[in-house]
Amino acid sequence: MAARRVASWQGPKLGHYVLLWTVLFTAHCRAFTVRQTSDGGVDVLLDGTLLLRHQRSDPAILVGSGTTVFRELHGNFNISDTVGLRVPLPDVDVTQPSPSEYRLLFSSGGNYQTEMTLMTGNEGHDHVMNISIPGNLDRTWLRLYADDGEHVYGGGEQFTYFDLRGRSFPIWTREQGVGRQPGTFVTDEANRRDGGGGDYHTTYWPQPTFVSSRRYFCHFTTTDYMIMDFTDTTAHVMQIWGSPGVVHFGAAATFPELSEQLGALLGKQPELPDWVYDGAILGVQGGTSEVLRYLEQAEGQGVKVNALWIQDWAGRIRTSFGRRLFWNWVWDENQYPGLREEIVRQKERGVRFLGYINPHLNKLGNLYAIADSRGYFVKNSTGQTYIQDFGEFFCGTIDLTNPAAFQWYKNEVIIKNMIELGLSGWMADFGEYLPPDMVFYNGVPGREMHNHYPALWAKANRDAVEESGKLGEIVFWMRAGFSGSQNYSVMSWAGDQFVDYSLGDGLASVIPAALSLGVSGYGLSHFDIGGFTSLFGITRTEELLLRYAEMAVFTPMMRTHEGNRPADNWQVYSSDSTLQHFARLVDVHVSLTGYIRELVQNNSRYNLPVQSPLFYHYPDDPMVYSIKYQYMFGPDVLIAPVYREGVDTWQVYLPQGHTWVHLWSDNSYEGGRTVTVDAPLGQTPFFFRESSRWASLFRTVARDNPPVSGTSLSSSILPYVTAIVAIPLFFWFRQH
Ligand SMILES: *[C@@H]1O[C@H](CO)[C@@H](O)[C@H](O)[C@H]1NC(C)=O
Ligand SMILES: *[C@@H]1O[C@H](CO)[C@@H](O)[C@H](O)[C@H]1NC(C)=O
Ligand SMILES: *[C@@H]1O[C@H](CO)[C@@H](O)[C@H](O)[C@H]1NC(C)=O
Ligand SMILES: *[C@@H]1O[C@H](CO)[C@@H](O)[C@H](O)[C@H]1NC(C)=O
Ligand SMILES: *[C@@H]1O[C@H](CO)[C@@H](O)[C@H](O)[C@H]1NC(C)=O
């Protein structure tokens, strides 16, 4: 704005002076201010927002040291910590070396001292807090000011709680866990099995970033272990291991502006390839003829398939968890004969092939032998390849901090074996299993590399795609993530949900996951249609599969997964009727292409997440701040996925101040209340604002895609049909 004014400068006018004062005044406000308070304390504000309140009786900084022990098994970590020293620093001395910089020296009777620098740089756009603690200490408690009614969101991808207030969140990438709710059958069984049950905070993508309802964000640049504790009523207590380093803050009038600032800081995601919107990605496996048979079957029932995702392109092994892939990323020509030609043939008719990779190599494969002989793996304390048990098979982890190893994996494995084979994308799995006693080429301690590794893994994939000139053609999707993934990963997925309706690990959990990841600066996500993990005799039903599918319609990318035990679980191809339901859902998705593409563009341009929380667009409605199972699919569209079994109506809260139209019935509702609508299978509650410029598209989509006749499910109507037929027959027989 200011730059444009300068360009058209034709001498000062009154308006220009007003503008100049406005700019100066705004620039002044968009900086830290430090106010000394009467009790010998200080308040730190940004843009008028109180960030930190230091009082002698309640110091904002404590320092200390402690011992932390990490135990890892199958990507699950037990972390035990003993604090040896914890010293509050009540004294503070403030200096201001320049108008844009403050120095705060915190101390405790001269024994311990810590310097905090507050700087505003980059023309008032970058607000940095830099904390340095004495070298012999390794722990900092930073107490940020907290308000009574304040809500806090983000923390990376959080599956259980969207508003983080009232809970504590360790920042450590790991398996999200099976069940994720101690005390439930699935979680307790998973814990008995290998300690893999998880909890509300366990996640593949934690991130030390949060957004407050007081309209500021806070981002820690450390990659070391840390805990964001929001349980205190007067302070957000950030416990940082190692050097606390640099913390970024930003304040803005609106939440989308905060997102934009985070995008400038962390990087943004590119747009998706156009083919992604053309249909659904079918997750199938078993060999060339097998997957083509699935394709024919799906297309025969009218399903628009844009890609076959064959995760077993490199072959398979068998374990007690189910069929596992052979982690040796080379085309298995025995299982997939003629694949290279088939990829070309299918691409001509609009069906791509996608594969799978992760940063580990199975000891039994030829790639392992090469990497091992060249020293490309992460090492253990005795300088040998660090071997990990991945569940009845053993692997090394590629050391992406070693430039030669990085190049080799990118060029010889990803580019040569996958891109040159013709694959248009892949799941870039794992990245969370690295124990802190691993020894890296770059000399950075394993504890600091652990969280950073997923971003490096994303960069290896991204570089391979870019160097092949295939950005905009190839899509890879990742579950592990951390700060930095924003700039490299091109799509995320929610990982391995359990095949049930549990809030901890079931269908519902992917909604807060997408929202918290969006708030943390990563606005593209999707999930396995049907969920993934099936254990302890619990299997996926047709209803669960279709509820997942209907929710996926309103995300940027639809992709099915057969799960860890394909034969035991209901599949999209299990019946023609399922395929017909699925075909209609894919049609709805495809007919929204123009709209979804624009949402994805807005994420690329403005870092506005494709799925965003209600408060992003309706901040004046106090009710929306605690909603975690509904989302905005663009400012005008509200989606309230059905996440319970056996229901056909659903309650939805509509933001106040607007009139909302229910897509499937065309009924209008005034916002500011909860309404109940019909929500049979295939009709995810979808509301659009009456005034939306997309209203006619939405109405056309609804009109052109009526529910599939005989909407009820074969599996769930069977008892009723049986009853309806059997009961009269019973009486008829009795009477005759
Ligand atoms: C933060 O402080 C440390 C130690 O004083 C210094 O080395 C580093 O350059 C500072 N970083 C920034 C961004 O000011
Ligand atoms: C973590 O602790 C739980 C509970 O004590 C135990 O079942 C599990 O095996 C432990 N896991 C590891 C990796 O030590
Ligand atoms: C994003 O990645 C590019 C290419 O590696 C790099 O030049 C740029 O600095 C990165 N941006 C951020 C915000 O990390
Ligand atoms: C290091 O790894 C090698 C195998 O690569 C193993 O034989 C050795 O025991 C490991 N050393 C330690 C200290 O774990
Ligand atoms: C994308 O962003 C632009 C600019 O803010 C806005 O006008 C447009 O409505 C957005 N598109 C969608 C689909 O939300």
Side-chain angles (χ1 to χ4, degrees), residues 116-132:
M116 176 190 285
T117 316
L118 299 166
M119 283 164 297
T120 295
N122 189 14
E123 297 174 350
H125 289 296
D126 201 10
H127 310 285
V128 169
M129 174 189 280
N130 191 2
I131 307 169
S132 55

mmCIF file with all atom_site columns, all heavy atoms in Angstrom, residues 116-132:
data_model
loop_
_atom_site.group_PDB
_atom_site.id
_atom_site.type_symbol
_atom_site.label_atom_id
_atom_site.label_alt_id
_atom_site.label_comp_id
_atom_site.label_asym_id
_atom_site.label_entity_id
_atom_site.label_seq_id
_atom_site.pdbx_PDB_ins_code
_atom_site.Cartn_x
_atom_site.Cartn_y
_atom_site.Cartn_z
_atom_site.occupancy
_atom_site.B_iso_or_equiv
_atom_site.pdbx_formal_charge
_atom_site.auth_seq_id
_atom_site.auth_comp_id
_atom_site.auth_asym_id
_atom_site.auth_atom_id
_atom_site.pdbx_PDB_model_num
ATOM 1   N N   . MET A 1 116 ? 17.253 -11.524 27.873 1.00 0.00 ? 116 MET A N   1
ATOM 2   C CA  . MET A 1 116 ? 16.186 -11.621 26.870 1.00 0.00 ? 116 MET A CA  1
ATOM 3   C C   . MET A 1 116 ? 16.256 -10.380 25.995 1.00 0.00 ? 116 MET A C   1
ATOM 4   O O   . MET A 1 116 ? 16.195 -9.269  26.489 1.00 0.00 ? 116 MET A O   1
ATOM 5   C CB  . MET A 1 116 ? 14.824 -11.711 27.556 1.00 0.00 ? 116 MET A CB  1
ATOM 6   C CG  . MET A 1 116 ? 13.655 -11.721 26.576 1.00 0.00 ? 116 MET A CG  1
ATOM 7   S SD  . MET A 1 116 ? 12.066 -11.533 27.402 1.00 0.00 ? 116 MET A SD  1
ATOM 8   C CE  . MET A 1 116 ? 11.873 -13.173 28.097 1.00 0.00 ? 116 MET A CE  1
ATOM 9   N N   . THR A 1 117 ? 16.400 -10.590 24.683 1.00 0.00 ? 117 THR A N   1
ATOM 10  C CA  . THR A 1 117 ? 16.415 -9.459  23.755 1.00 0.00 ? 117 THR A CA  1
ATOM 11  C C   . THR A 1 117 ? 15.092 -9.455  22.999 1.00 0.00 ? 117 THR A C   1
ATOM 12  O O   . THR A 1 117 ? 14.611 -10.518 22.581 1.00 0.00 ? 117 THR A O   1
ATOM 13  C CB  . THR A 1 117 ? 17.555 -9.629  22.730 1.00 0.00 ? 117 THR A CB  1
ATOM 14  O OG1 . THR A 1 117 ? 18.712 -10.051 23.427 1.00 0.00 ? 117 THR A OG1 1
ATOM 15  C CG2 . THR A 1 117 ? 17.856 -8.336  22.022 1.00 0.00 ? 117 THR A CG2 1
ATOM 16  N N   . LEU A 1 118 ? 14.511 -8.269  22.852 1.00 0.00 ? 118 LEU A N   1
ATOM 17  C CA  . LEU A 1 118 ? 13.273 -8.147  22.079 1.00 0.00 ? 118 LEU A CA  1
ATOM 18  C C   . LEU A 1 118 ? 13.562 -7.226  20.912 1.00 0.00 ? 118 LEU A C   1
ATOM 19  O O   . LEU A 1 118 ? 13.975 -6.090  21.111 1.00 0.00 ? 118 LEU A O   1
ATOM 20  C CB  . LEU A 1 118 ? 12.163 -7.544  22.947 1.00 0.00 ? 118 LEU A CB  1
ATOM 21  C CG  . LEU A 1 118 ? 11.774 -8.346  24.178 1.00 0.00 ? 118 LEU A CG  1
ATOM 22  C CD1 . LEU A 1 118 ? 10.927 -7.506  25.115 1.00 0.00 ? 118 LEU A CD1 1
ATOM 23  C CD2 . LEU A 1 118 ? 11.005 -9.593  23.764 1.00 0.00 ? 118 LEU A CD2 1
ATOM 24  N N   . MET A 1 119 ? 13.382 -7.735  19.721 1.00 0.00 ? 119 MET A N   1
ATOM 25  C CA  . MET A 1 119 ? 13.735 -6.942  18.538 1.00 0.00 ? 119 MET A CA  1
ATOM 26  C C   . MET A 1 119 ? 12.604 -6.943  17.535 1.00 0.00 ? 119 MET A C   1
ATOM 27  O O   . MET A 1 119 ? 11.942 -7.963  17.324 1.00 0.00 ? 119 MET A O   1
ATOM 28  C CB  . MET A 1 119 ? 14.959 -7.548  17.841 1.00 0.00 ? 119 MET A CB  1
ATOM 29  C CG  . MET A 1 119 ? 16.269 -7.255  18.521 1.00 0.00 ? 119 MET A CG  1
ATOM 30  S SD  . MET A 1 119 ? 17.538 -8.384  17.911 1.00 0.00 ? 119 MET A SD  1
ATOM 31  C CE  . MET A 1 119 ? 16.915 -9.955  18.442 1.00 0.00 ? 119 MET A CE  1
ATOM 32  N N   . THR A 1 120 ? 12.422 -5.803  16.898 1.00 0.00 ? 120 THR A N   1
ATOM 33  C CA  . THR A 1 120 ? 11.471 -5.737  15.795 1.00 0.00 ? 120 THR A CA  1
ATOM 34  C C   . THR A 1 120 ? 12.271 -5.407  14.554 1.00 0.00 ? 120 THR A C   1
ATOM 35  O O   . THR A 1 120 ? 12.982 -4.408  14.528 1.00 0.00 ? 120 THR A O   1
ATOM 36  C CB  . THR A 1 120 ? 10.394 -4.678  16.068 1.00 0.00 ? 120 THR A CB  1
ATOM 37  O OG1 . THR A 1 120 ? 9.645  -5.118  17.205 1.00 0.00 ? 120 THR A OG1 1
ATOM 38  C CG2 . THR A 1 120 ? 9.459  -4.532  14.882 1.00 0.00 ? 120 THR A CG2 1
ATOM 39  N N   . GLY A 1 121 ? 12.176 -6.277  13.579 1.00 0.00 ? 121 GLY A N   1
ATOM 40  C CA  . GLY A 1 121 ? 12.959 -6.059  12.370 1.00 0.00 ? 121 GLY A CA  1
ATOM 41  C C   . GLY A 1 121 ? 12.074 -6.139  11.149 1.00 0.00 ? 121 GLY A C   1
ATOM 42  O O   . GLY A 1 121 ? 10.841 -6.179  11.261 1.00 0.00 ? 121 GLY A O   1
ATOM 43  N N   . ASN A 1 122 ? 12.710 -6.200  9.982  1.00 0.00 ? 122 ASN A N   1
ATOM 44  C CA  . ASN A 1 122 ? 12.000 -6.372  8.721  1.00 0.00 ? 122 ASN A CA  1
ATOM 45  C C   . ASN A 1 122 ? 10.806 -5.416  8.595  1.00 0.00 ? 122 ASN A C   1
ATOM 46  O O   . ASN A 1 122 ? 9.681  -5.827  8.359  1.00 0.00 ? 122 ASN A O   1
ATOM 47  C CB  . ASN A 1 122 ? 11.569 -7.848  8.599  1.00 0.00 ? 122 ASN A CB  1
ATOM 48  C CG  . ASN A 1 122 ? 11.020 -8.180  7.240  1.00 0.00 ? 122 ASN A CG  1
ATOM 49  O OD1 . ASN A 1 122 ? 11.182 -7.408  6.298  1.00 0.00 ? 122 ASN A OD1 1
ATOM 50  N ND2 . ASN A 1 122 ? 10.355 -9.310  7.133  1.00 0.00 ? 122 ASN A ND2 1
ATOM 51  N N   . GLU A 1 123 ? 11.076 -4.118  8.779  1.00 0.00 ? 123 GLU A N   1
ATOM 52  C CA  . GLU A 1 123 ? 10.063 -3.071  8.664  1.00 0.00 ? 123 GLU A CA  1
ATOM 53  C C   . GLU A 1 123 ? 8.832  -3.329  9.530  1.00 0.00 ? 123 GLU A C   1
ATOM 54  O O   . GLU A 1 123 ? 7.696  -3.157  9.098  1.00 0.00 ? 123 GLU A O   1
ATOM 55  C CB  . GLU A 1 123 ? 9.654  -2.882  7.197  1.00 0.00 ? 123 GLU A CB  1
ATOM 56  C CG  . GLU A 1 123 ? 10.805 -2.409  6.339  1.00 0.00 ? 123 GLU A CG  1
ATOM 57  C CD  . GLU A 1 123 ? 10.455 -2.350  4.867  1.00 0.00 ? 123 GLU A CD  1
ATOM 58  O OE1 . GLU A 1 123 ? 9.378  -2.867  4.501  1.00 0.00 ? 123 GLU A OE1 1
ATOM 59  O OE2 . GLU A 1 123 ? 11.251 -1.797  4.108  1.00 0.00 ? 123 GLU A OE2 1
ATOM 60  N N   . GLY A 1 124 ? 9.098  -3.772  10.744 1.00 0.00 ? 124 GLY A N   1
ATOM 61  C CA  . GLY A 1 124 ? 7.998  -3.969  11.673 1.00 0.00 ? 124 GLY A CA  1
ATOM 62  C C   . GLY A 1 124 ? 7.245  -5.274  11.475 1.00 0.00 ? 124 GLY A C   1
ATOM 63  O O   . GLY A 1 124 ? 6.194  -5.491  12.064 1.00 0.00 ? 124 GLY A O   1
ATOM 64  N N   . HIS A 1 125 ? 7.780  -6.186  10.654 1.00 0.00 ? 125 HIS A N   1
ATOM 65  C CA  . HIS A 1 125 ? 7.050  -7.433  10.401 1.00 0.00 ? 125 HIS A CA  1
ATOM 66  C C   . HIS A 1 125 ? 7.546  -8.604  11.220 1.00 0.00 ? 125 HIS A C   1
ATOM 67  O O   . HIS A 1 125 ? 6.887  -9.626  11.300 1.00 0.00 ? 125 HIS A O   1
ATOM 68  C CB  . HIS A 1 125 ? 7.117  -7.799  8.917  1.00 0.00 ? 125 HIS A CB  1
ATOM 69  C CG  . HIS A 1 125 ? 6.297  -6.888  8.078  1.00 0.00 ? 125 HIS A CG  1
ATOM 70  N ND1 . HIS A 1 125 ? 4.931  -6.806  8.207  1.00 0.00 ? 125 HIS A ND1 1
ATOM 71  C CD2 . HIS A 1 125 ? 6.636  -5.998  7.125  1.00 0.00 ? 125 HIS A CD2 1
ATOM 72  C CE1 . HIS A 1 125 ? 4.466  -5.910  7.367  1.00 0.00 ? 125 HIS A CE1 1
ATOM 73  N NE2 . HIS A 1 125 ? 5.477  -5.405  6.701  1.00 0.00 ? 125 HIS A NE2 1
ATOM 74  N N   . ASP A 1 126 ? 8.742  -8.474  11.754 1.00 0.00 ? 126 ASP A N   1
ATOM 75  C CA  . ASP A 1 126 ? 9.307  -9.618  12.455 1.00 0.00 ? 126 ASP A CA  1
ATOM 76  C C   . ASP A 1 126 ? 9.586  -9.248  13.911 1.00 0.00 ? 126 ASP A C   1
ATOM 77  O O   . ASP A 1 126 ? 10.336 -8.307  14.167 1.00 0.00 ? 126 ASP A O   1
ATOM 78  C CB  . ASP A 1 126 ? 10.609 -10.025 11.747 1.00 0.00 ? 126 ASP A CB  1
ATOM 79  C CG  . ASP A 1 126 ? 10.974 -11.446 12.060 1.00 0.00 ? 126 ASP A CG  1
ATOM 80  O OD1 . ASP A 1 126 ? 10.122 -12.146 12.652 1.00 0.00 ? 126 ASP A OD1 1
ATOM 81  O OD2 . ASP A 1 126 ? 12.091 -11.862 11.736 1.00 0.00 ? 126 ASP A OD2 1
ATOM 82  N N   . HIS A 1 127 ? 8.976  -9.980  14.802 1.00 0.00 ? 127 HIS A N   1
ATOM 83  C CA  . HIS A 1 127 ? 9.129  -9.672  16.218 1.00 0.00 ? 127 HIS A CA  1
ATOM 84  C C   . HIS A 1 127 ? 9.794  -10.853 16.898 1.00 0.00 ? 127 HIS A C   1
ATOM 85  O O   . HIS A 1 127 ? 9.218  -11.929 16.975 1.00 0.00 ? 127 HIS A O   1
ATOM 86  C CB  . HIS A 1 127 ? 7.773  -9.386  16.842 1.00 0.00 ? 127 HIS A CB  1
ATOM 87  C CG  . HIS A 1 127 ? 6.998  -8.399  16.045 1.00 0.00 ? 127 HIS A CG  1
ATOM 88  N ND1 . HIS A 1 127 ? 7.278  -7.058  16.040 1.00 0.00 ? 127 HIS A ND1 1
ATOM 89  C CD2 . HIS A 1 127 ? 5.991  -8.578  15.164 1.00 0.00 ? 127 HIS A CD2 1
ATOM 90  C CE1 . HIS A 1 127 ? 6.470  -6.439  15.210 1.00 0.00 ? 127 HIS A CE1 1
ATOM 91  N NE2 . HIS A 1 127 ? 5.671  -7.347  14.657 1.00 0.00 ? 127 HIS A NE2 1
ATOM 92  N N   . VAL A 1 128 ? 10.996 -10.628 17.355 1.00 0.00 ? 128 VAL A N   1
ATOM 93  C CA  . VAL A 1 128 ? 11.813 -11.732 17.822 1.00 0.00 ? 128 VAL A CA  1
ATOM 94  C C   . VAL A 1 128 ? 12.178 -11.572 19.290 1.00 0.00 ? 128 VAL A C   1
ATOM 95  O O   . VAL A 1 128 ? 12.591 -10.491 19.717 1.00 0.00 ? 128 VAL A O   1
ATOM 96  C CB  . VAL A 1 128 ? 13.112 -11.797 16.986 1.00 0.00 ? 128 VAL A CB  1
ATOM 97  C CG1 . VAL A 1 128 ? 14.103 -12.747 17.600 1.00 0.00 ? 128 VAL A CG1 1
ATOM 98  C CG2 . VAL A 1 128 ? 12.798 -12.224 15.565 1.00 0.00 ? 128 VAL A CG2 1
ATOM 99  N N   . MET A 1 129 ? 12.012 -12.629 20.030 1.00 0.00 ? 129 MET A N   1
ATOM 100 C CA  . MET A 1 129 ? 12.488 -12.674 21.407 1.00 0.00 ? 129 MET A CA  1
ATOM 101 C C   . MET A 1 129 ? 13.641 -13.664 21.412 1.00 0.00 ? 129 MET A C   1
ATOM 102 O O   . MET A 1 129 ? 13.498 -14.777 20.912 1.00 0.00 ? 129 MET A O   1
ATOM 103 C CB  . MET A 1 129 ? 11.371 -13.166 22.324 1.00 0.00 ? 129 MET A CB  1
ATOM 104 C CG  . MET A 1 129 ? 11.783 -13.391 23.759 1.00 0.00 ? 129 MET A CG  1
ATOM 105 S SD  . MET A 1 129 ? 10.469 -14.208 24.719 1.00 0.00 ? 129 MET A SD  1
ATOM 106 C CE  . MET A 1 129 ? 9.395  -12.821 25.081 1.00 0.00 ? 129 MET A CE  1
ATOM 107 N N   . ASN A 1 130 ? 14.789 -13.227 21.914 1.00 0.00 ? 130 ASN A N   1
ATOM 108 C CA  . ASN A 1 130 ? 15.954 -14.116 21.940 1.00 0.00 ? 130 ASN A CA  1
ATOM 109 C C   . ASN A 1 130 ? 16.372 -14.291 23.403 1.00 0.00 ? 130 ASN A C   1
ATOM 110 O O   . ASN A 1 130 ? 16.649 -13.318 24.090 1.00 0.00 ? 130 ASN A O   1
ATOM 111 C CB  . ASN A 1 130 ? 17.087 -13.483 21.119 1.00 0.00 ? 130 ASN A CB  1
ATOM 112 C CG  . ASN A 1 130 ? 18.223 -14.456 20.866 1.00 0.00 ? 130 ASN A CG  1
ATOM 113 O OD1 . ASN A 1 130 ? 18.166 -15.620 21.257 1.00 0.00 ? 130 ASN A OD1 1
ATOM 114 N ND2 . ASN A 1 130 ? 19.287 -13.971 20.239 1.00 0.00 ? 130 ASN A ND2 1
ATOM 115 N N   . ILE A 1 131 ? 16.387 -15.531 23.846 1.00 0.00 ? 131 ILE A N   1
ATOM 116 C CA  . ILE A 1 131 ? 16.707 -15.784 25.256 1.00 0.00 ? 131 ILE A CA  1
ATOM 117 C C   . ILE A 1 131 ? 18.010 -16.566 25.323 1.00 0.00 ? 131 ILE A C   1
ATOM 118 O O   . ILE A 1 131 ? 18.155 -17.592 24.661 1.00 0.00 ? 131 ILE A O   1
ATOM 119 C CB  . ILE A 1 131 ? 15.600 -16.622 25.943 1.00 0.00 ? 131 ILE A CB  1
ATOM 120 C CG1 . ILE A 1 131 ? 14.228 -15.973 25.724 1.00 0.00 ? 131 ILE A CG1 1
ATOM 121 C CG2 . ILE A 1 131 ? 15.892 -16.812 27.414 1.00 0.00 ? 131 ILE A CG2 1
ATOM 122 C CD1 . ILE A 1 131 ? 13.061 -16.854 26.125 1.00 0.00 ? 131 ILE A CD1 1
ATOM 123 N N   . SER A 1 132 ? 18.974 -16.072 26.082 1.00 0.00 ? 132 SER A N   1
ATOM 124 C CA  . SER A 1 132 ? 20.191 -16.874 26.252 1.00 0.00 ? 132 SER A CA  1
ATOM 125 C C   . SER A 1 132 ? 20.415 -17.156 27.738 1.00 0.00 ? 132 SER A C   1
ATOM 126 O O   . SER A 1 132 ? 20.309 -16.276 28.581 1.00 0.00 ? 132 SER A O   1
ATOM 127 C CB  . SER A 1 132 ? 21.398 -16.178 25.626 1.00 0.00 ? 132 SER A CB  1
ATOM 128 O OG  . SER A 1 132 ? 21.526 -14.888 26.148 1.00 0.00 ? 132 SER A OG  1
#
